[in-house]
């Protein structure tokens, strides 16, 4: 299509999206731009809302404000050079994206990963997931008007970030996985810190449960709000805690096992209420599940290399072909489609981000809710906008 | 000297003038104090020290904040109604000293004795809604407008149970004069009105938090939903005056609660204004604690709470009080 | 079944490529296939464009909540006039994926309700992810024939999907 040459709504205010949106609006409603700068859109998401008083009649997310074209960048650099990008796609669960990329290339080239490296991957990724969920928890309550919990969450996150800094060298945008293993081995200091953290967390989670989860106002805000039934979840391709909050126990770690997840004993938390509270509870339970995986992995950490001795380094040519690799990120199913022509740079990389599909739900379930509920629903989807825009 | 000319002024007028001046000073000082207290409480609730750099334990932080606010540019948004936009903060603040003059801080420490003190305070408190309404409309901002709509329906709804609960006490004591109301109670907690009217006190307290737009009822501001609601477009002292008015309103409702329910300046041993201030600050600190503890309620929940619970309860309470007074009298 | 394999290729689990089955369908059949997949409770993972020497390809990745594996439906489009029916009416979640593919590859999805650019501010010409002619590789290189395991017969899902596709024509 071409624009603004053929401008269907001359004389109306706003940009293309606002004008297209306003075309379908009723006369007596208010078009409201929520974002790209808004405290509850967590970044630069913009949602166009048609409001009848406090009620949202129609909602449409507008994307692209932090679009960086990672897929194009992937086609312009060597395979290993794409790792730093992965840390920046979803900055909250960077290691899951690291794993998705490493896993896709390893699958394409048939690379072997030493057992110790697999364990280190599990430990780091799960710690990173704990980190991500803790931040979500704090930020979500901030959306709901409770300003204190995020400070408690950050107290715990700080410990995780310190630990991960020891082995990855960074605190947020990790890029420490490599084809055939991980960059650095974990040492005794990491193990002891990790054990201390695992000892500390159950007490903290208990406190969070008592202070926040049981709060009557919080329950009033979340229960019965933003109901996503299973059919809607399927048609929009929702995954992760959003789907598990709708009563579907779909977890990529179980459905398409990768790494050594099959060696660990953990429950996939499922809640059947389909509302914001169910998604909240799923994430709170996942914190415990992830901590239990980390505990098992730390206890059973095998000896060996942290990277395969014959792992490819620098510019390297994998075989031609295509591969699809999925991992379970904190927000849902992360997929990497990789087509290779046998040269040093990938031919085509497609990044399937879970928030992208989860957010596309919002236009449907946001209809007819109160503005406060719309905020609660957006928060319950746990959006990371850089991941959506990529 | 001109002592003679001073004597020519009516003493009542002089008292009013001095009282008003002193109260404006008190309000400003209180604004600073509560700003500091709020930030410190917030800090400690959130496991951090709060302001710590300016002065010992950050004591001078409030002055730095005030200096910063005063020094900032006053910007009027494009398309805003300048007159309404700037009238709003003034209108929010101006009634506040007037509300204070009827408050009996001590046996003889008050600005104006009037037998309609309570009515005076409640009627001037109504101005705040108008200010928020004007601010929301004048800002030419949709978020502010939504905030104003919330503020108006919230304030109008919560004023009714507030009045009814206050009325129950007034009926009991047979007066609308705050001094008499406070003086009718004894020094010990079981002699206070709160012991006789616990339900009215509870309703009053909930409504007071809602009336002053404090969390968990801060829907007009609702930072995470409406950016900052009616305050969105205000910069510098525009915002500062709203803040000052908010803190002053908190003190007013605290004062009224103290005078009506907690025995005013009466207290065990040495009654006096310190008792009054102590009780009032205790209530205000409680309100501050609530803000940093609870999530925000939703708009329909807020109104439901009012129309379904507080209002009938307040009515029942009033009727029961009336019956008791009739039977006792 | 020579004409079947030519129209609808199926690869049985290879494990290495991360998919269960790959189906080639003609653009006009994509809606039927998507409908059938929805009936069988598959969900759409993503829609992915791919620029090949033979033309533009659109890959639809489907996964299932309870069945393992992944079904890839491939549609080849002409380079001169890349048009593909939208499956938005069946999988509303496809709408954004299609708009994104339109941004990146210039592929028009006909019948979509909303065709405004999704991630880019405007349509770019040429579309950003299109390859220069000398960079393009033939499809046989990405999807080597050696990967195909025989004809579609015997795979119940494939047979079902095949039966709803149009009879004549070749891929």
């Amino acid at each position: 299509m071409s624009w603004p040459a053929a401008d269907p709504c001359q004389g109306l205010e706003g940009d293309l999206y606002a004008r297209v949106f306003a075309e379908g609006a009723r006369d007596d409603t208010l078009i409201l731009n929520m974002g790209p700068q808004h405290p509850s859109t967590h970044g630069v998401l913009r949602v166009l809302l048609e409001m009848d008083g406090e009620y949202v009649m129609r909602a449409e997310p507008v994307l692209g404000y932090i679009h960086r074209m990672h897929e194009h960048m992937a086609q312009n650099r060597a395979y290993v050079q794409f790792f730093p990008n992965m840390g920046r796609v979803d900055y909250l669960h960077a290691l899951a994206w690291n794993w998705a990329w490493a896993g896709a290339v390893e699958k394409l080239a048939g690379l072997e990963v030493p057992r110790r490296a697999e364990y280190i991957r599990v430990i780091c990724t799960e710690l990173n997931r704990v980190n991500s969920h803790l931040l979500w928890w704090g930020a979500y309550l901030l959306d709901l008007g409770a300003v204190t919990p995020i400070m408690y969450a950050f107290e715990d996150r700080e410990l995780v970030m310190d630990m991960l800094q020891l082995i990855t060298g960074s605190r947020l945008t990790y890029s420490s996985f490599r084809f055939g293993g991980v960059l650095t081995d974990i040492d005794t200091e990491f193990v002891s810190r990790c054990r201390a953290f695992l000892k500390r967390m159950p007490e903290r989670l208990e406190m969070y449960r008592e202070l926040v989860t049981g709060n009557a106002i919080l329950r009033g805000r979340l229960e019965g709000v933003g109901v996503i039934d299973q059919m809607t979840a399927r048609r929009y391709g929702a995954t992760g805690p959003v789907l598990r909050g709708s009563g579907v126990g779909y977890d990529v770690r179980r459905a398409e096992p990768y790494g050594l997840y099959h060696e660990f004993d953990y429950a996939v938390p499922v809640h059947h209420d389909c509302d914001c509270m169910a998604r909240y509870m799923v994430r709170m339970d996942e914190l415990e599940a992830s901590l239990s995986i980390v505990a098992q992995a730390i206890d059973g950490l095998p000896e060996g290399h942290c990277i395969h001795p014959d792992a490819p380094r620098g510019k390297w040519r994998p075989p031609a072909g295509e591969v699809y690799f999925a991992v379970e990120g904190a927000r849902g199913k992360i997929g990497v489609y990789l087509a290779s022509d046998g040269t040093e740079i990938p031919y085509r990389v497609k990044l399937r981000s879970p928030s992208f599909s989860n957010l596309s739900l919002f236009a449907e379930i946001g209809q007819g809710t109160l503005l406060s509920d719309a905020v609660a629903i957006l928060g319950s989807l746990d959006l990371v906008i850089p991941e959506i825009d990529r | 000297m001109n002592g003679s000319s001073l004597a020519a002024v009516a003493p009542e007028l002089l008292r009013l003038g001095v009282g008003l001046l002193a109260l404006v000073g008190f309000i400003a000082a209180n604004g600073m104090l509560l700003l500091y207290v709020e930030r410190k409480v917030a800090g400690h609730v959130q496991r951090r020290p709060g302001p710590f750099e300016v002065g010992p334990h950050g004591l001078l932080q409030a002055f730095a904040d005030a200096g910063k606010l005063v020094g900032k540019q006053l910007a009027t948004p494009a398309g805003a109604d300048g007159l309404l936009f700037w009238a709003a903060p003034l209108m929010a603040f101006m009634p506040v000293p007037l509300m204070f003059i009827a408050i009996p801080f001590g046996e003889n420490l008050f600005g104006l004795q009037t037998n309609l003190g309570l009515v005076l305070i409640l009627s001037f408190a109504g101005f705040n809604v108008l200010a928020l309404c004007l601010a929301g409309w004048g800002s030419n901002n949709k978020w502010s407008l939504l905030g104003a709509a919330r503020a108006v329906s919230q304030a109008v709804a919560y004023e009714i149970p507030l009045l009814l609960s206050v009325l129950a006490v007034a009926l009991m004591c047979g007066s609308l004069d705050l001094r008499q109301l406070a003086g009718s109670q004894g020094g010990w907690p079981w002699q206070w009105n709160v012991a006789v009217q616990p339900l009215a006190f509870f309703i009053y307290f909930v409504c007071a938090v809602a009336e002053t737009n404090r969390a968990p009822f801060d829907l007009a501001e609702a930072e995470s939903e409406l950016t900052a609601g009616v305050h969105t477009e205000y910069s510098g002292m525009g915002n500062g005056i709203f803040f000052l008015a908010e803190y002053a309103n908190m003190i007013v409702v605290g004062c009224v609660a103290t005078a009506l329910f907690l025995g005013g300046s009466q207290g065990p041993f040495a009654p006096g204004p310190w008792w009054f201030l102590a009780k009032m600050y205790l209530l205000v600190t409680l309100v501050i604690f609530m803000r940093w503890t609870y999530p925000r309620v939703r708009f329909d929940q807020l109104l439901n709470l009012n129309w379904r619970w507080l209002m009938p309860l307040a009515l029942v309470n009033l009727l029961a009080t009336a019956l008791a007074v009739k039977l006792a009298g | 079944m020579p004409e079947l394999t030519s129209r609808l290729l199926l690869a049985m689990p290879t494990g290495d490529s991360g998919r269960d089955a790959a189906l080639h369908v003609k653009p006009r059949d994509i809606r039927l296939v998507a409908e059938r997949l929805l009936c069988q409770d598959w969900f759409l993972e993503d829609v992915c464009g791919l620029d090949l020497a033979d033309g533009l390809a659109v890959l639809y990745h489907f996964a299932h909540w309870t069945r393992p594996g992944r079904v890839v439906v491939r549609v080849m489009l002409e380079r001169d006039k890349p048009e593909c029916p939208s499956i938005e009416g069946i999988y509303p979640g496809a709408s954004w994926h299609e708009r994104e593919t339109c941004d990146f590859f210039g592929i028009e999805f006909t019948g979509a309700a909303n065709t405004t650019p999704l991630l880019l501010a405007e349509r770019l010409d040429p579309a950003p992810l299109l390859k220069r002619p000398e960079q393009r590789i033939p499809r046989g290189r990405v999807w080597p024939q050696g990967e195909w395991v025989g004809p579609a017969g015997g795979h119940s899902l494939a047979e079902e999907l095949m039966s709803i596709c149009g009879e004549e024509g070749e891929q």
Side-chain angles (χ1 to χ4, degrees):
Chain A
M1 68 176 286
S2 65
W3 71 279
D7 186 350
C9 15
Q10 277 286 341
L12 285 171
E13 283 183 19
D15 64 350
L16 172 76
Y17 300 96
R19 281 176 291 162
V20 170
F21 187 75
E23 256 186 302
R26 272 178 14 205
D27 286 347
D28 56 345
T29 50
L30 179 76
I31 304 287
L32 193 61
N33 239 324
M34 189 164 156
Q37 292 100 12
H38 187 279
S40 298
T41 54
H42 299 287
V44 286
L45 171 66
R46 172 180 169 202
V47 186
L48 281 164
L49 300 170
E50 185 185 346
M51 309 282 298
D52 185 358
E54 283 271 329
Y55 284 92
V56 176
M57 307 305 291
R58 235 161 23 109
E60 192 189 312
V62 178
L63 309 181
Y65 287 90
I66 191 166
H67 175 54
R68 291 153 296 171
M69 204 59 177
H70 283 295
E71 294 175 11
H72 194 269
M73 281 190 246
Q75 298 176 15
N76 285 304
R77 57 197 62 201
Y79 282 82
V80 72
Q81 286 176 317
F82 194 50
F83 272 115
N85 285 63
M86 298 316 275
R88 283 150 182 83
V89 172
D90 175 357
Y91 52 82
L92 287 183
H93 202 185
L95 285 173
W97 281 91
N98 267 253
W99 199 338
W101 179 240
V105 176
E106 280 158 7
K107 202 171 197 178
L108 177 74
L111 298 177
E112 218 178 291
V113 184
R115 273 183 71 80
R116 187 176 173 86
E118 292 278 23
Y119 266 70
I120 295 173
R121 282 184 179 184
V122 168
I123 293 168
C124 298
T125 311
E126 294 306 319
L127 282 176
N128 202 186
R129 190 191 310 275
V130 168
N131 225 359
S132 172
H133 280 352
L134 279 174
L135 180 75
W136 166 82
W137 179 73
Y140 189 40
L141 287 157
L142 203 58
D143 290 352
L144 300 174
V147 277
T148 299
I150 195 166
M151 298 292 172
Y152 284 72
F154 265 76
E155 218 180 325
D156 297 333
R157 289 193 77 217
E158 195 65 20
L159 296 171
V160 183
M161 288 198 287
D162 286 345
M163 272 191 279
L164 288 177
Q165 192 180 0
L166 281 178
I167 46 172
T168 64
S170 35
R171 288 174 72 79
L172 194 70
T173 51
Y174 312 107
S175 52
S176 69
F177 286 11
R178 292 293 178 270
F179 309 128
V182 292
L183 188 60
T184 34
D185 206 345
I186 61 181
D187 51 11
T188 47
E189 157 129 41
F190 176 87
V191 172
S192 64
R193 279 202 202 185
C194 199
R195 284 193 203 280
F197 179 73
L198 290 170
K199 213 171 152 197
R200 166 197 164 93
M201 277 315 277
E203 211 177 292
R204 301 282 290 185
L205 292 177
E206 184 57 35
M207 178 172 77
Y208 298 157
R209 219 184 337 266
E210 279 172 18
L211 280 182
V212 180
T213 310
N215 184 290
I217 300 180
L218 181 85
R219 290 193 167 264
R221 284 292 306 274
L222 299 186
E223 281 173 356
V225 170
V227 173
I228 303 173
D229 59 57
Q230 295 193 358
M231 194 57 188
T232 311
R234 179 182 296 128
R235 291 186 319 148
Y236 283 94
T239 47
V242 175
L243 183 60
R244 289 194 285 276
S246 296
V248 181
Y250 179 75
D251 185 323
V252 183
R253 290 173 292 182
R254 283 281 164 80
E256 275 178 60
Y258 58 94
L260 293 178
Y261 272 112
H262 57 273
E263 293 187 6
F264 300 106
D265 175 33
Y266 63 98
V268 175
V270 181
H271 285 261
H272 295 269
D273 296 335
C274 307
D275 56 2
C276 290
M277 194 68 204
R279 299 192 272 282
Y280 176 98
M281 291 308 296
V282 164
R283 292 198 181 92
M284 295 313 276
D285 291 352
E286 274 186 23
L287 281 172
E288 282 171 30
S290 289
L291 290 170
S292 126
I293 297 175
V294 174
Q296 292 169 43
I298 284 279
D299 288 340
L301 190 66
E303 292 297 318
H305 296 286
C306 72
I307 188 162
H308 199 277
D310 303 329
R313 275 156 216 274
K315 293 202 167 180
W316 154 82
R317 293 159 185 267
E322 67 164 5
V323 73
Y324 196 103
F325 188 76
V327 301
E328 179 73 21
R331 270 148 283 282
K333 188 174 200 169
I334 294 170
V336 169
Y337 170 80
L338 168 64
S340 158
D341 57 356
T343 58
E344 284 160 355
I345 58 172
Y347 185 74
R348 163 88 170 115
V349 173
K350 159 84 186 172
L351 307 175
R352 192 260 182 211
S353 64
S355 294
F356 187 85
S357 298
N358 291 354
L359 177 63
S360 63
L361 271 167
F362 181 71
E364 189 166 319
I365 56 167
Q367 278 186 358
T369 58
L370 283 162
L371 182 64
S372 318
D373 287 345
V375 168
I377 294 168
L378 273 179
S380 78
L381 298 175
D382 191 8
L383 304 169
V384 168
I385 312 304
E387 183 192 59
I388 296 172
D389 287 354
R390 302 189 301 289
Chain B
M1 303 295 284
N2 46 3
S4 56
S5 62
L6 200 64
V9 184
E12 193 57 28
L13 205 61
L14 191 67
R15 185 189 177 96
L16 200 61
V18 173
L20 267 177
L21 262 179
L23 283 171
V24 171
F26 175 70
I27 292 166
N30 249 312
M32 302 270 232
L33 177 70
L34 285 186
L35 189 67
Y36 178 74
V37 169
E38 175 133 61
R39 295 185 62 175
K40 270 294 182 194
V41 168
H44 285 284
V45 166
Q46 299 178 345
R47 297 170 65 89
R48 55 189 175 88
F52 218 82
E53 297 298 323
V54 191
H57 281 258
L59 270 170
L60 301 177
Q61 182 66 46
F63 294 94
D65 286 350
K68 181 202 72 174
L69 275 178
V70 172
K72 278 195 166 179
Q73 189 191 0
L74 296 177
T76 314
D81 186 326
L83 184 66
L84 294 187
F85 184 72
W86 289 114
L90 295 179
M91 201 170 278
F93 184 73
M94 284 211 297
V96 170
L98 297 178
M99 289 194 268
F100 272 99
I101 56 171
I103 288 169
F105 288 96
E107 191 61 32
N108 292 306
L109 191 62
F110 55 87
L112 177 74
Q113 167 141 34
T114 156
N115 47 16
L116 286 175
L118 197 54
V119 177
L120 182 104
I121 290 176
L122 291 173
S123 50
F124 277 118
F127 264 86
N128 194 33
V129 191
L130 186 60
L132 293 180
C133 188
L134 289 188
W137 181 257
S139 295
N140 189 30
N141 180 316
K142 292 172 182 175
W143 299 105
S144 303
L145 189 63
L146 280 172
R150 285 180 173 192
V152 171
S153 41
Q154 176 178 345
V156 167
Y158 273 82
E159 239 162 38
I160 303 167
L162 184 109
L163 274 170
L164 290 176
S165 62
V166 166
L167 211 56
V169 178
L171 201 65
M172 212 174 68
C173 302
S175 170
L176 287 171
D177 182 356
L178 278 170
R179 239 184 109 207
Q180 273 187 29
L181 281 167
S184 69
Q185 303 167 63
W188 294 92
W190 55 86
Q191 295 167 323
W192 296 346
N193 280 342
V194 67
V196 193
Q197 291 274 7
L199 184 62
F201 177 69
F202 176 74
I203 294 172
Y204 175 85
F205 187 70
V206 173
C207 294
V209 174
E211 279 287 292
T212 48
N213 283 322
R214 293 284 299 185
F217 303 122
D218 59 339
L219 283 122
E221 202 176 326
E223 176 198 306
S224 57
E225 290 160 26
L226 304 182
T227 58
V230 287
H231 301 160
T232 306
E233 296 288 357
Y234 284 96
S235 59
M237 267 325 266
N239 203 3
I241 287 178
F242 269 120
F243 260 107
L244 206 55
E246 180 184 321
Y247 283 131
N249 277 325
M250 266 165 71
I251 296 170
V252 170
V253 295
C255 286
V256 172
T258 307
L260 283 182
F261 295 101
L262 301 180
S265 57
Q266 318 276 349
F269 323 113
W274 39 89
W275 272 111
F276 190 94
L277 290 179
K279 293 174 208 167
M280 182 263 284
Y281 280 121
L282 195 72
L283 282 177
V284 170
T285 316
L286 188 62
V287 175
I288 292 178
F289 262 90
M290 278 169 60
R291 169 166 177 193
W292 299 102
T293 308
Y294 290 122
R296 186 182 305 115
V297 298
R298 205 170 53 208
F299 191 57
D300 58 328
Q301 291 168 340
L302 175 93
L303 293 183
N304 270 344
L305 176 70
N306 178 62
W307 296 106
R308 282 199 193 157
W309 293 101
L310 296 181
M311 184 96 93
L313 280 177
L315 269 175
V316 168
N317 188 56
L318 181 63
L319 286 176
T321 308
L323 194 67
V325 167
K326 184 78 185 165
L327 289 179
Chain C
M1 295 188 286
E3 89 256 36
L4 283 184
T5 41
S6 68
R7 194 160 40 100
L8 186 120
L9 295 169
L10 181 80
M12 292 307 286
T14 58
D16 293 338
S17 60
R19 61 160 181 274
D20 206 19
L23 307 142
H24 274 279
V25 302
K26 293 178 70 81
R28 56 147 204 256
D29 290 332
I30 181 65
R31 292 179 58 89
L32 292 168
V33 170
E35 221 162 55
R36 184 53 47 152
L37 284 166
L38 179 67
C39 290
Q40 295 206 1
D41 296 350
W42 293 82
F43 72 91
L44 182 73
E45 279 183 317
D46 59 33
V47 179
C48 168
L50 185 61
D51 188 11
L52 296 169
D54 319 60
L56 290 171
V58 183
L59 315 180
Y60 298 80
H61 292 109
F62 293 93
H64 201 280
W65 289 343
T66 48
R67 288 167 63 161
R70 170 177 289 107
V71 168
V72 187
V73 179
R74 295 171 179 153
V75 177
M76 290 299 295
L77 306 171
E78 291 166 34
R79 183 172 300 282
D80 308 330
K81 197 170 167 243
E83 271 187 8
C84 182
S86 168
I87 59 164
E88 180 194 312
I90 301 147
Y91 285 96
S95 164
W96 282 14
H97 289 291
E98 286 171 353
R99 279 166 71 189
E100 183 194 308
T101 312
C102 183
D103 284 356
F104 292 173
F105 289 90
I107 296 169
E108 293 265 352
F109 287 87
T110 52
N114 189 345
T115 53
T116 47
L118 184 73
L119 294 177
L120 305 182
E122 56 193 66
R123 295 269 175 269
L124 298 178
D125 193 26
L129 285 187
L130 291 180
K131 300 267 180 187
R132 286 197 301 277
E134 70 273 15
Q135 287 180 316
R136 294 177 193 141
I137 57 171
R139 55 193 263 206
R141 200 156 158 68
V142 193
W143 308 321
Q145 290 302 316
E147 237 180 62
W148 308 123
V149 186
H155 193 285
S156 60
L157 176 69
E159 281 183 343
E160 187 182 344
L161 293 175
M162 214 164 51
S163 65
I164 55 166
C165 291
E167 281 300 319
E168 74 287 358
E170 80 271 345
Q171 180 65 43

